[in-house]
Structure formats: structure tokens, C-alpha cells
Amino acid sequence: MPDLEIIGIPQSNYVWTCRIVCAEKGAPYKLIPAAPHSPEVNAVHPFGKIPVMRHSDVTLYESRAICAYVDRVFDGPPLVPAMPHLAAQVEQWISVINTQIDPLLVRQYLLGYFFPGTPDGKPDRTRIDAALPQMEKHFAMLDRGVGKTGFLVASAFSIADATLVPILYYLTKAPESKAMMDNARNLNAYLKKMMERKSVAETTPPPPPERHN
Ligand SMILES: N[C@@H](CCC(=O)N[C@@H](CS)C(=O)NCC(=O)O)C(=O)O
């Protein structure tokens, strides 16, 4: 029985990121599918967010910290390059994904479809429509980012790719973002290739229902 536990429901983009990293490293782990703010999660994360991690007497929260820990503790290919400027680029991507991409594309736009919180359960058009004008810029930046090598940093898979791929996958499940993905040639090819990667394919959660206007 592996003593590494990744705690959080598998549909969460950040739980998926951690699982991709475990798979890349060949790190055996147990997935405990706990919801945000459940007792298992609250015991570790001060704000009740998923994922959290337990490994022997080490507990961690925040996907970035969990991925860094798994990368350093387990064998397998390094998921942050050794060269300082490339390692810094990985950090730069993770930071911009966490502070710009995820808040707009996931929390505001996608959750406006999948967890709208509207009285009738219909998509929250106000929230979605407010996100749309800024989204083109995000897609253009990401399309440029993967255009050169097919990876976010240098020519190898890194924690930055593990952080981006789940978000891109979910963006293909809502109409406007799917159209933007279809128009972003590099990003489209990148996602297709990443979805075929063993670590991604074997951790992909069951698909959410497609959402329409
Ligand atoms: N910065 C955190 C973000 C984690 C996060 O936002 N998780 C979501 C699920 S994808 C969550 O727990 N949401 C519930 C909430 O915010 O209350 C990380 O990288 O782990």
C-alpha cells in the first residue's frame, strides 16, 4: 500500500495536476477522493481547498508545493530543469497560470457553466460574458508559449505542463473556449499530444457533461 496520499476529487484541475506529476515520476500513491472543505481536507488546508497531500509525517497543501515535493522525493525524470533560467521559466508559467489563467478561465468562465450557482442551474451568462473579452489574450499567450517546442519550457515536460493541461482539457468542454482552442493551432496540437501522454491519459477523470449556451 503506497504511503503517499493525494487527497481531493479527481475532477479538480489541481488534483489532476498532482496526479500527472506522480505518474510522470512513477510515484505510487493512493487517491482519496475528498471534496473541498471536507474534514480530511480541512485537516491540512487552512482554506479547505484541494488537493492536499500526506506522505508519512509530511502534510502539504497547494498543488505547486505538492508537485515540487513529489518531484524531489521520487525517482524518475526531473520535472523542473536544472538550468536556473529554465527552472525560473517553469516557476513563471506556474505563477501566471495560478494567478491569471485559472482565475479567469476556470473560476470565472468554466465554473460559470459547470457550477453556476444560478437559481435555475443555467449558465451564469453575466459571469461568462464578462470573461470573454479577456480570454482571447490568454489563448494567444498560451498559443505562443507552446509554439516553439511543443512544451511550455525548453523541450521537456515539466510541472508547468502538468499545471496547464487539465485546464486546457476542460476548456474544450464549453462553447466559446472550445472555439478559441480550435483557432489556436499550436495549443490545439499541444493538447492533443498531451492527452495521448501516458501520465495524462491514465489520470484523466471522467468527462464532465458538455455545456452549451
Ligand atoms: N492554489 C490552489 C488552488 C486550489 C483550488 O482552487 N482548488 C479548488 C478545486 S480545483 C477548490 O478546492 N475549490 C474550493 C474552494 O475554493 O472553496 C492550488 O494550487 O492547490
Side-chain angles (χ1 to χ4, degrees):
M1 173 73 76
D3 63 354
L4 174 65
E5 293 180 350
I6 301 293
I7 303 168
I9 49 173
Q11 288 78 11
S12 149
N13 57 299
Y14 284 118
V15 171
W16 190 4
T17 291
C18 293
R19 297 181 66 213
I20 292 171
V21 163
C22 290
E24 288 284 335
K25 300 296 288 185
Y29 68 97
K30 187 173 171 204
L31 175 70
I32 314 257
H37 309 289
S38 59
E40 300 94 312
V41 174
N42 286 344
V44 180
H45 199 303
F47 300 105
K49 290 179 188 266
I50 54 172
V52 300
M53 184 210 87
R54 286 185 186 278
H55 186 222
S56 301
D57 54 358
V58 178
T59 54
L60 285 171
Y61 57 89
E62 290 293 312
S63 59
R64 174 69 194 101
I66 295 168
C67 291
Y69 176 83
V70 171
D71 188 31
R72 285 172 195 161
V73 166
F74 290 89
D75 293 335
L79 298 179
V80 176
M83 297 276 280
H85 71 290
L86 297 179
Q89 284 176 19
V90 170
E91 295 304 329
Q92 183 175 274
W93 274 114
I94 296 170
S95 184
V96 86
I97 291 167
N98 287 342
T99 60
Q100 305 292 327
I101 307 278
D102 179 81
L104 180 77
L105 296 180
V106 179
R107 306 302 134 192
Q108 184 173 338
Y109 172 76
L110 284 175
L111 298 196
Y113 276 107
F114 293 105
F115 295 97
T118 48
D120 56 4
K122 290 216 170 112
D124 183 344
R125 286 303 333 168
T126 310
R127 184 168 151 194
I128 292 165
D129 292 343
L132 294 177
Q134 304 166 67
M135 281 169 53
E136 298 280 359
K137 187 172 165 190
H138 286 231
F139 274 89
M141 180 200 67
L142 293 170
D143 196 56
R144 276 196 307 277
V146 301
K148 228 178 185 173
T149 65
F151 296 95
L152 282 174
V153 178
S155 299
F157 188 90
S158 73
I159 297 173
D161 298 298
T163 309
L164 181 60
V165 166
I167 294 175
L168 293 183
Y169 169 79
Y170 285 123
L171 288 170
T172 65
K173 306 295 176 194
E176 298 90 347
S177 53
K178 181 177 185 317
M180 289 181 203
M181 275 298 289
D182 288 345
N183 286 333
R185 202 165 50 91
N186 300 327
L187 209 51
N188 221 332
Y190 168 85
L191 181 61
K192 190 165 179 299
K193 189 181 78 176
M194 290 292 163
M195 293 306 296
E196 287 164 0
R197 203 174 166 91
K198 191 166 174 284
S199 65
V200 177
E202 73 185 24
T203 54
T204 303
E210 303 256 344
R211 293 305 303 248
H212 307 282
N213 288 313

